Amino acid sequence: MKMYYEKDVDTEVLANKTVAVIGYGSQGKGQSQNMADSGLKVIVGLREGGSSWKIAKDDGMDVRTIEDASKAADIIHILLPDEIQADIYNKSIAPYVESGNTISFSHGYNIHFKYIKVPEDVNVTMIAPKGPGSMVRRTYLEGFGIPGLVAVEKDATGNALQVALAMGKACGLSKAGILETTFREETETDLFGEQAILCGGVTELINAGFSTLVEAGYQPEIAYFETCHELKLIVDLIYEKGFAGMWNDVSNTAEFGGFTRRERIINPDAKAEMKKILEEIQKGKFTKEWSLEAKTNMPMLNRLRELESEEKIEKVGSKLRKACGLEKKAKEKEEKVVVVNFNKTKK
C-alpha cells in the first residue's frame, strides 16, 4: 500500500498550468472550487446555456464552452456522467488535445473499458475523492479533506503521477491521504461496491427487513426505524471505529445476536452471487448492458426508479423524516454549504 500525504506532494508541477474541469455536477463543483481556492488556474467547461452554466458563473468560476476550455487547458479533468463521457470527449475535447497534455478522470470506467482512447503522447491520470463532491468541498472549507485515490494509466511526460498528486492536494485530499491504485482496480472495485454492497445490496437488505416486519404485523414506522433509520448510526460507528469499535458500542445482546445470525443472511449463496456480479464486471458484461441502456434513453432504469418510488418504505420514510425534522435539517445543511461556497469564491 502506498499512501501520499501533504509532505509528499509538490504542487510546483502545476505552476503556470491551466486545468479545465469538464462538468459542474457534485464532483465538478467541489473539485473545481477547491482547486481554484488552492491557487490553480481553473476553467470550467460546460455546454453553453446548460443548467450548470449560470450556477458556475454565480459561483465565481471562469466558465467557457467545453471546446474553448479544452483548447486553453494543459490538463483536462473530465467529471461528466460515465454514459456521456465518450461522446463528448470525441466531439468536443479530442480535437483540441495536444502532445504533453494530461487527460484526467475521477473514475476509470471509460478508460478501462476503452470507450475513450487517448493519443500516446498524452498523460492519462486519475484523482478520485472517496466521497461525494459536497463532502469534498465541505471538508476542504473546514481545513481538512477526505481520502482519495490516484492512478496513472499512461505517463507520456514522465511526471504524470506528480501532476495527479498535485491536483489531489489542491482538492484537499492529501490531508487525509491519497492511496495509489490502477484504473482497472479502481473501476472494477467501485462498480462491485456500488452493485453488491453500497447501493444495490444495502437497499435490498433494508427493504427485505422492513417488509418482513410489516408483513408480520408490526407498525411500518417502527419497522422503518429499526431497519433503515438506525443504519446510519451503525455505519457511522464502523466508519469511525471499525467493526470492533461498533461491536463495543452496541449492547451485548446486539453483539451476540449479530454474530450468531449474520451468516444466515449473507450466506454462501449470497457470496456466490457476489462472485458472479464481480465476474460480470471484469468480463465487461455489465458495461455492455449499461451502454445499451444509456443509448436507448434508459427505459429500464426509469422504470426501476418509478417502482422504487412506489415502495412502502419510501412513503413511510418520507413521512417520518418530515415528522422528525430530518429533511429540513438536510436542506439547511445543503444551503449552508452553498452560501459558504459563494462567499469563499467571491473573496
Side-chain angles (χ1 to χ4, degrees):
M1 180 181 78
K2 177 61 177 175
M3 290 283 286
Y4 298 91
Y5 297 96
E6 294 278 277
K7 62 181 177 58
D8 304 313
V9 184
D10 183 4
T11 56
E12 281 300 307
V13 70
L14 297 182
N16 302 316
K17 300 291 186 183
T18 298
V19 179
V21 175
I22 311 300
Y24 204 68
S26 175
Q27 286 295 340
K29 187 181 180 74
Q31 292 189 44
S32 63
Q33 291 192 355
N34 286 6
M35 286 191 283
D37 284 350
S38 293
L40 301 189
K41 183 178 179 181
V42 178
I43 300 169
V44 175
L46 298 171
R47 179 172 56 86
E48 190 168 11
S51 58
S52 298
W53 186 276
K54 185 177 186 302
I55 295 172
K57 283 275 191 184
D58 289 346
D59 283 343
M61 304 305 296
D62 179 354
V63 184
R64 308 183 197 180
T65 65
I66 295 173
E67 293 81 359
D68 287 343
S70 300
K71 288 178 190 177
D74 301 289
I75 300 159
I76 303 170
H77 191 38
I78 303 175
L79 298 179
L80 299 164
D82 292 331
E83 64 272 17
I84 65 171
Q85 279 189 17
D87 186 53
I88 290 179
Y89 174 82
N90 290 328
K91 290 180 180 178
S92 303
I93 298 173
Y96 311 105
V97 174
E98 298 179 350
S99 177
N101 282 174
T102 296
I103 306 297
S104 174
F105 301 84
S106 283
H107 182 31
Y109 186 95
N110 278 281
I111 291 294
H112 177 57
F113 291 115
K114 303 188 186 322
Y115 289 110
I116 290 178
K117 296 180 180 179
V118 176
E120 288 299 320
D121 56 355
V122 171
N123 295 332
V124 179
T125 64
M126 181 198 311
I127 189 69
K130 296 311 294 177
S134 58
M135 287 300 297
V136 172
R137 183 59 176 162
R138 186 185 307 164
T139 54
Y140 177 92
L141 292 172
E142 291 169 350
F144 193 56
I146 63 173
L149 303 178
V150 66
V152 175
E153 182 75 3
K154 187 183 299 181
D155 185 1
T157 62
N159 65 350
L161 177 61
Q162 289 73 27
V163 169
L165 286 170
M167 291 173 65
K169 182 174 182 177
C171 282
L173 309 184
S174 55
K175 288 186 177 180
I178 303 174
L179 175 64
E180 191 167 2
T181 184
T182 65
F183 271 65
R184 174 182 176 273
E185 184 175 59
E186 185 277 335
T187 301
E188 293 179 358
T189 57
D190 185 78
L191 292 174
F192 176 79
E194 292 168 350
Q195 294 172 23
I197 312 296
L198 306 175
C199 302
V202 74
T203 51
E204 188 65 14
L205 180 65
I206 292 168
N207 203 17
F210 174 83
S211 299
T212 299
L213 290 176
V214 172
E215 289 166 8
Y218 299 102
Q219 292 183 68
E221 293 78 11
I222 297 296
Y224 182 84
F225 276 132
E226 294 301 329
T227 61
C228 186
H229 176 81
E230 290 191 29
L231 181 65
K232 181 185 184 305
L233 309 179
I234 298 300
V235 170
D236 283 350
L237 288 174
I238 295 172
Y239 177 84
E240 293 167 2
K241 303 180 180 181
F243 285 176
M246 180 274 290
W247 290 124
N248 184 63
D249 278 12
V250 300
S251 69
N252 291 336
T253 307
E255 185 179 13
F256 178 76
F259 273 134
T260 58
R261 267 63 176 176
R262 63 184 181 181
E263 290 186 6
R264 290 167 61 179
I265 303 301
I266 307 302
N267 53 33
D269 288 341
K271 291 180 180 178
E273 283 301 316
M274 287 185 180
K275 289 181 179 180
K276 288 181 183 178
I277 289 171
L278 180 56
E279 287 175 1
E280 290 172 359
I281 292 167
Q282 292 170 329
K283 294 178 179 179
K285 182 179 178 181
F286 168 76
T287 187
K288 290 178 182 176
E289 182 182 336
W290 173 227
S291 179
L292 178 61
E293 175 75 4
K295 287 178 181 177
T296 54
N297 296 318
M298 299 185 263
M300 184 184 295
L301 180 57
N302 289 327
R303 178 57 180 157
L304 291 171
R305 287 170 174 167
E306 183 181 346
L307 291 172
E308 183 91 332
S309 69
E310 295 170 357
E311 290 281 355
K312 187 168 187 176
I313 191 171
E314 282 291 86
K315 294 179 170 60
V316 172
S318 178
K319 183 175 70 173
L320 275 178
R321 289 191 298 273
K322 287 178 182 176
C324 296
L326 295 176
E327 290 190 351
K328 181 180 179 182
K329 183 178 180 182
K331 186 176 180 181
E332 289 174 348
K333 186 181 291 185
E334 290 176 0
E335 290 174 345
K336 183 178 180 181
V337 172
V338 169
V339 170
V340 172
N341 285 348
F342 180 81
N343 290 338
K344 181 81 174 176
T345 56
K346 289 296 184 182
K347 287 182 180 178

